[in-house]
Amino acid sequence: MSTKVIIDCDPGIDDAVALTLALFDPRLDVLAITATAGSVDAEQATNNVQAIVAQLDPPRFPRIGRATPSENAPVVDDRYLLGPDGLGDFSVHVTDRQHMHSSEKVISELLRLYPDEITLICLGPLTNVARVFQRDASLAKTVGKLLISGGAVQCNGNITVAAEQNMFFDPPAAQTVFHSPTTKSLVPLDVTNATTFGVDLLEKLPNKEEPVGKMLHQMLQHAFRVSHQKLGRELIPLQDAVTLIAALEPDLFDWEEMPGDVETRGAITRGMTIFDRRDRRTDRCNMEVALSGSRTEIRAQVVRGLRYAGQEQ
């Protein structure tokens, strides 16, 4: 049987790749895609989710949740890397947004409808999930599993030296979710940044004349070009696609139970994730964390999933 999932995201090129994998994988029943502000603002995140789903035209259309602004958002702008809409050279055109419920409302309704059955896959800041838990604490215990893309254990952040972007964007929300009584799995930068893709990925994508291939080529060609021109790198990570593979093939990753927390107030360490790995821990473990993974097989799974999406559209 397929696993019921809600994907909470802030698309983002790597989010779009992850959504492509998820929407065509028969092992997943994507009940909803809920937008959140992060890589792009709330309105753009909602537009991007709609545009991606419309372009992919999956066998089953998920519900879409509308993002609302976060009161904790910092002043950051990733458009210099992600393009004007956050999706590289893929143009976003959305006309119909009537009767769209907020993301937290969609998540709450589905958790009540399918208690203990849903895996929440969080690919962006944890704003929506924290709001759900804060408004009805009982819902935290109805989540089957919570899979989070973000944080860093033993490596630098990717938005500041100390912090990964999803945690930096809304640290109080991340702390709320970390402290919640849910079964949590975290896929940090230690794994997602270590699993990189070369420009040869473009040759393995679906035909660019087809809708799936067209979107992927437009986004990923931009990603490789900007990575080379502005960062001096020939390889790119696809953090959220790697996290999606962790939902599908958890045995490809090495996990360790540990206590985790998030710094919410530090002027330099805002959003830093802290993990107690001492022999004599003072806190109880509250999540499992991926510390490494089978990079070659993870990359192969991503390529295989994208090619399958192109065949199935």
Side-chain angles (χ1 to χ4, degrees):
M1 291 182 62
S2 58
T3 300
K4 294 180 174 64
V5 300
I6 299 171
I7 301 177
D8 192 61
C9 60
D10 59 334
I13 292 171
D14 59 331
D15 303 73
V17 174
L19 291 177
T20 304
L21 294 170
L23 286 169
F24 291 93
D25 197 298
R27 293 169 290 180
L28 299 181
D29 179 6
V30 183
L31 301 177
I33 301 172
T34 52
T36 185
S39 297
V40 292
D41 64 30
E43 181 177 5
Q44 189 66 57
T46 305
N47 289 343
N48 287 0
V49 170
Q50 289 183 280
I52 291 165
V53 173
Q55 178 75 10
L56 294 178
D57 189 23
R60 293 183 58 187
F61 270 66
R63 291 182 63 180
I64 295 176
R66 171 178 50 83
T68 52
S70 167
E71 56 272 15
N72 299 307
V75 179
V76 292
D77 190 339
D78 275 348
R79 285 181 295 179
Y80 78 103
L81 292 177
L82 298 177
D85 296 327
L87 297 177
D89 297 330
F90 178 67
S91 298
V92 175
H93 301 289
V94 176
T95 57
D96 183 15
R97 289 183 56 180
Q98 297 180 352
H99 310 301
M100 187 178 294
H101 294 302
S102 69
S103 291
E104 53 262 38
K105 182 177 176 60
V106 171
I107 294 171
S108 298
E109 289 179 352
L110 289 171
L111 288 178
R112 292 190 179 97
L113 188 61
Y114 301 105
D116 305 318
E117 295 184 44
I118 292 176
T119 295
L120 259 172
I121 302 176
C122 299
L123 304 180
L126 297 172
T127 307
N128 291 331
V129 181
R131 287 173 175 168
V132 169
F133 293 171
Q134 288 165 343
R135 292 174 184 177
D136 186 347
S138 67
L139 287 177
K141 296 182 179 180
T142 69
V143 178
K145 183 177 181 180
L146 186 61
L147 181 66
I148 302 167
S149 178
V153 181
Q154 293 182 305
C155 65
N156 289 340
N158 61 354
I159 191 71
T160 70
V161 172
E164 180 273 335
Q165 182 172 348
N166 291 342
M167 303 294 128
F168 179 80
F169 187 85
D170 194 344
Q175 188 176 77
T176 294
V177 174
F178 274 33
H179 291 181
S180 67
T182 57
T183 301
K184 293 176 286 292
S185 300
L186 184 81
V187 187
L189 290 179
D190 306 66
V191 176
T192 59
N193 268 1
T195 309
T196 53
F197 296 80
V199 71
D200 61 310
L201 174 63
L202 297 175
E203 302 172 0
K204 303 171 184 176
L205 296 176
N207 189 325
K208 66 175 65 176
E209 304 302 320
E210 302 297 330
V212 170
K214 179 180 179 180
M215 184 187 78
L216 292 173
H217 278 276
Q218 289 177 340
M219 292 189 305
L220 291 171
Q221 284 175 343
H222 173 95
F224 282 111
R225 182 173 66 250
V226 169
S227 180
H228 172 73
Q229 294 175 348
K230 298 187 177 182
L231 302 177
R233 300 174 184 169
E234 303 301 325
L235 303 175
I236 63 169
L238 293 171
Q239 288 98 345
D240 296 334
V242 172
T243 300
L244 199 282
I245 297 301
L248 293 166
E249 299 285 352
D251 290 344
L252 296 179
F253 299 78
D254 298 314
W255 304 88
E256 182 178 329
E257 295 276 347
M258 62 179 73
D261 211 332
V262 183
E263 173 59 65
T264 62
R265 296 186 297 273
I268 298 174
T269 57
R270 168 194 171 102
M272 183 177 184
T273 46
I274 309 296
F275 300 91
D276 189 350
R277 304 186 71 191
R278 297 173 296 175
D279 292 333
R280 298 182 62 183
R281 296 169 176 169
T282 57
D283 295 324
R284 186 173 61 183
C285 295
N286 61 348
M287 67 182 70
E288 63 172 6
V289 181
L291 297 179
S292 62
S294 303
R295 300 176 194 173
T296 301
E297 185 56 30
I298 293 168
R299 281 191 288 265
Q301 289 281 340
V302 171
V303 171
R304 194 175 302 129
L306 296 178
R307 293 181 68 88
Y308 182 80
Q311 295 168 1
E312 290 299 304
Q313 189 178 47

